[in-house]
């Protein structure tokens, strides 16, 4: 008997009529659990039990649908789980310590192998591959802990990925919320060293924090809460003076060793940051140079490519240009296809700005030239009319505004089709004189009306 499995949405609306009654009776019997239902009479036909076939059909239709096999695509490193341990270790020797940490977070198999004591050589080799040479791991930390403090941004207390409070002197990295809980003031702590003949900061690793109050300046010592608690607990158990002196001597040696290691670590961090900045700058220059070469190959002009000097004339366009070109990412064909339309848009905007500036500069030059011609014309006007000029005692800046409203002169200023020459000016002299005479007559009439 061939049985077909129905879809889940069909099962929610009920079974078919052929097995509906049998299903209802079986569920009712299970809920009551009082009496056992009688065994069904076996009707065998040709050696086959029809009741058994029916029960199989019912059970298969009542069974929940089996989940489909996952369609999750395997990553490129899926076969790394099947590598021999020697090959995997050899690969890890060439990785960055941060990459090793990522492997420990990615798989339990990787974590069990890399976090074991036998794998300390992997971490040590990965650390020594750094340039410049990274200081050795301190005795207070393991290699994974050392790598997490230096290379990650994860809080040691809560696991927050934004741990901005870092103290290399204490080998700690905390977020803002956990910092006030785990980093405390030595002199305001509940754990005190009673009758200790030396300062706390000499036997407990501390960080100096300089503060100012008014004109005075003072410093405070902050330490790790657990570290101070351990030292105070150990100090309370000491009874003899010999044990106390030995404890103080050992703690001073530990603090001095940490301070020496911290100095080397801070110097290495500064050198690494400087090298990283130089490498980033070199990548940016290489990307910008490649973009310039590609643009020149597309019939661009040097004037179309923005330079640092353009920041004074077109700051907004230059900032957008620099944002697109000065990146540490290599230039690929895909990124170039996305980048070129944006650069072309900046070029068109730059050309529009330059054209507008050239137009305004042409107007300014033609205006100054018209002012010189107009002054000579004013002298001629004075000889012909035996009177002062229409616009006496005007400054040159005011005169530029005045002549710009004279229609014949305004036409010469606005017309940029050909250069303004003396010949073109002489063609407009009669119109200019006519406008001046009419303006002079109107001015005289106005003044006579005012006198009356």
């Amino acid at each position: 008997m061939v049985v077909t499995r129905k879809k889940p949405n069909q099962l929610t609306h009920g079974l078919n009529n052929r097995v509906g009654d049998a299903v209802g009776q079986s569920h009712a019997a299970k809920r009551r659990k009082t009496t056992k239902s009688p065994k069904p009479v076996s009707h065998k036909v040709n050696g086959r039990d029809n009741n058994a076939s029916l029960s199989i059909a019912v059970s298969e239709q009542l069974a929940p649908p089996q989940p489909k096999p996952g369609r999750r695509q395997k990553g490129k490193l899926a076969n790394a789980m099947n590598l021999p341990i020697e090959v995997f270790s050899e690969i890890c020797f060439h990785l960055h310590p941060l990459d090793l940490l990522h492997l420990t977070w990615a798989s339990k198999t990787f974590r069990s192998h890399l976090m074991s004591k036998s794998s300390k050589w992997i971490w040590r080799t990965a650390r020594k591959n750094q340039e410049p040479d990274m200081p050795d791991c301190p005795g207070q930390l393991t290699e994974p802990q050392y790598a997490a403090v230096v290379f990650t941004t994860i809080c040691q207390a809560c696991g927050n990925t934004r741990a901005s409070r870092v103290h290399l002197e204490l080998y700690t990295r905390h977020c803002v919320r956990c910092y006030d809980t785990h980093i405390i003031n030595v002199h305001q702590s509940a754990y005190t060293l009673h009758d200790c003949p030396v300062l706390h900061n000499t036997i407990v690793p501390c960080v100096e924090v300089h503060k100012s109050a008014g004109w005075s300046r003072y410093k405070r010592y902050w330490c790790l809460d657990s570290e101070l608690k351990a030292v105070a607990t150990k100090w309370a158990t000491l009874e003899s003076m010999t044990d106390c002196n030995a404890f103080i001597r050992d703690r001073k040696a530990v603090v001095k060793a940490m301070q020496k290691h911290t100095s080397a670590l801070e110097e290495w961090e500064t050198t690494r940051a400087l090298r990283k900045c130089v490498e980033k700058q070199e990548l940016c220059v290489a990307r910008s140079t490649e973009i310039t070469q590609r643009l020149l190959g597309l019939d661009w002009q040097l004037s179309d490519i923005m330079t640092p000097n353009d920041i004074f004339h077109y700051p907004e366009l230059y900032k957008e240009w620099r944002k697109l070109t000065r990146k540490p990412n290599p230039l690929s064909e895909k990124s170039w296809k996305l980048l070129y339309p944006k650069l072309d848009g900046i070029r068109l905007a730059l050309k529009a700005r330059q054209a507008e500036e050239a137009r305004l500069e042409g107007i300014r030059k033609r205006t100054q030239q018209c002012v010189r011609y107009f002054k000579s014309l004013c002298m001629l006007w004075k000889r012909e009319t035996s009177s002062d000029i229409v616009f006496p005692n005007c400054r040159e800046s005011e005169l530029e505004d005045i002549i710009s409203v004279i229609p014949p002169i305004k036409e010469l200023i606005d017309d940029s089709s050909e250069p303004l020459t003396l010949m073109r000016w002489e063609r407009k002299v009669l119109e200019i004189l006519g406008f001046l005479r009419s303006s002079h007559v109107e001015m005289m009439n106005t003044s006579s009306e005012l006198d009356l």
Side-chain angles (χ1 to χ4, degrees):
M1 179 179 179
V2 179
V3 180
T4 58
R5 181 178 297 175
K6 292 188 177 182
K7 296 183 179 179
N9 56 0
Q10 294 177 345
L11 289 176
T12 56
H13 291 85
L15 298 175
N16 53 23
N17 297 328
R18 183 171 61 87
V19 295
D21 298 334
V23 173
Q25 294 176 3
S26 62
H27 280 285
K30 289 182 179 180
R31 285 195 300 269
R32 288 193 299 267
K33 293 184 179 180
T34 55
T35 58
K36 294 183 179 180
S37 58
K39 294 182 179 181
V41 180
S42 177
H43 301 282
K44 293 185 179 180
V45 179
N46 297 329
R48 298 180 61 185
D49 192 351
N50 293 335
N51 292 334
S53 301
L54 182 61
S55 62
I56 293 174
V58 173
S59 61
E60 288 187 0
Q61 292 191 7
L62 285 177
Q66 296 295 329
K68 295 182 179 180
R71 297 182 180 179
R72 183 178 178 182
Q73 296 181 356
K74 293 185 177 180
K76 295 181 179 180
L77 298 179
N79 294 328
M81 307 290 291
N82 302 326
L83 288 175
I85 193 64
E86 295 81 4
V87 177
F88 178 74
S89 301
E90 186 65 27
I91 294 174
C92 293
F93 284 148
H94 302 278
L95 296 181
H96 192 277
L98 184 58
D99 297 331
L100 295 179
L101 287 174
H102 289 166
L103 285 177
T104 59
W105 302 335
S107 170
K108 292 182 179 180
T109 304
F110 292 157
R111 183 176 182 84
S112 61
H113 173 63
L114 293 174
M115 299 299 286
S116 61
K117 293 183 178 180
S118 60
S119 300
K120 63 180 180 180
W121 295 104
I122 297 178
W123 294 88
R124 188 173 301 177
T125 305
R127 174 172 52 80
K128 290 183 178 180
N129 292 336
Q130 301 303 308
E131 292 183 1
D133 295 337
M134 186 176 177
D136 294 336
C137 179
Q140 294 82 2
L141 302 176
T142 61
E143 290 285 352
Q145 292 174 348
Y146 188 37
V149 170
V150 176
F151 297 108
T152 66
T153 58
I154 299 177
C155 178
Q156 297 177 351
C158 65
N160 191 345
T161 57
R162 296 183 179 180
S164 57
R165 305 295 182 87
V166 183
H167 287 305
L168 297 179
E169 301 90 341
L170 307 178
Y171 306 128
T172 58
R173 185 182 292 270
H174 294 97
C175 61
V176 178
R177 181 179 298 179
C178 300
Y179 181 80
D180 298 333
T181 305
H182 295 82
I183 305 298
I184 59 175
N185 191 339
V186 174
H187 303 283
Q188 297 178 358
S189 174
Y191 311 107
T192 57
L193 303 177
H194 298 285
D195 301 330
C196 185
V198 296
L199 297 176
H200 290 12
N201 62 306
T202 59
I203 60 176
V204 179
C206 297
V207 179
E208 294 184 7
V209 179
H210 296 270
K211 294 186 177 182
S212 58
W215 294 98
S216 61
R217 186 175 178 84
Y218 61 94
K219 61 182 179 180
R220 291 289 183 267
Y221 294 99
W222 298 76
C223 67
L224 192 61
D225 183 30
S226 59
E227 185 77 17
L228 181 59
K229 180 180 179 180
V231 172
T233 304
K234 181 64 176 178
W235 176 262
T237 58
L238 300 177
E239 297 179 356
S240 63
M241 185 60 65
T242 304
D243 296 339
C244 292
N245 293 334
F247 177 73
I248 292 174
R249 184 170 58 253
D250 295 341
R251 291 300 307 174
K252 284 185 176 181
V254 171
V255 172
K256 287 183 179 180
M258 290 184 62
Q259 293 175 353
K260 184 178 180 180
H261 183 269
T262 300
S263 301
L265 185 60
E266 289 178 348
E267 183 179 357
W268 172 84
E269 184 71 22
T270 304
T271 306
R272 185 175 73 99
L274 182 60
R275 286 195 177 187
K276 187 176 181 180
C277 182
V278 172
E279 292 176 358
K280 182 179 179 180
Q281 186 69 18
E282 291 177 352
L283 292 175
C284 291
V285 172
R287 176 187 173 91
S288 179
T289 304
E290 186 177 356
I291 290 174
T292 302
Q293 293 176 355
R294 291 197 180 196
L295 294 178
L296 293 177
L298 296 174
D299 297 334
W300 280 43
Q301 303 296 328
L302 287 175
S303 58
D304 299 335
I305 299 175
M306 303 197 72
T307 60
N309 294 331
D310 294 329
I311 193 174
F312 302 104
H313 305 286
Y314 318 103
E316 297 179 357
L317 294 178
Y318 178 74
K319 288 180 180 178
E320 186 66 22
W321 181 277
R322 182 181 176 86
K323 183 179 179 181
L324 295 173
T325 57
R326 303 284 292 188
K327 289 183 178 180
N329 304 329
L331 186 63
S332 61
E333 293 298 331
K334 182 178 180 180
S335 60
W336 171 251
K337 290 180 181 180
L338 299 175
L339 178 64
Y340 181 75
K342 299 179 182 179
L343 296 180
D344 193 29
I346 296 175
R347 181 183 66 162
L348 296 177
L350 179 62
K351 284 187 174 182
R353 292 279 296 274
Q354 290 176 348
E356 181 66 18
E357 290 179 357
R359 187 184 68 84
L360 296 177
E361 181 66 17
I363 291 175
R364 186 184 65 82
K365 290 182 179 180
R366 289 191 295 272
T367 302
Q368 292 177 354
Q369 197 169 0
C370 288
V371 167
R372 292 195 298 269
Y373 293 153
F374 186 75
K375 285 182 178 179
S376 61
L377 183 62
C378 289
M379 296 176 64
L380 179 61
W381 168 270
K382 186 174 182 180
R383 286 197 300 268
E384 290 182 356
T385 59
S386 300
S387 62
D388 292 334
I389 194 171
V390 181
F391 313 107
N393 302 325
C394 289
R395 298 178 182 178
E396 187 171 351
S397 59
E398 297 175 353
L399 192 59
E400 291 179 359
D401 297 335
I402 292 172
I403 66 173
S404 62
V405 297
I406 300 176
I409 298 179
K410 191 175 186 304
E411 292 179 3
L412 293 174
I413 294 175
D414 294 339
D415 188 8
S416 60
S417 59
E418 53 181 335
L420 179 59
T421 59
L422 183 59
M423 185 178 296
R424 291 186 61 193
W425 173 264
E426 291 176 350
R427 294 173 188 170
K428 296 286 185 178
V429 167
L430 295 179
E431 297 181 15
I432 297 171
L433 289 176
F435 180 81
L436 291 177
R437 289 191 183 96
S438 61
S439 300
H440 181 68
V441 172
E442 293 178 0
M443 184 177 292
M444 296 299 293
N445 295 334
T446 304
S447 61
S448 61
E449 292 176 0
L450 292 176
D451 293 339
L452 294 175

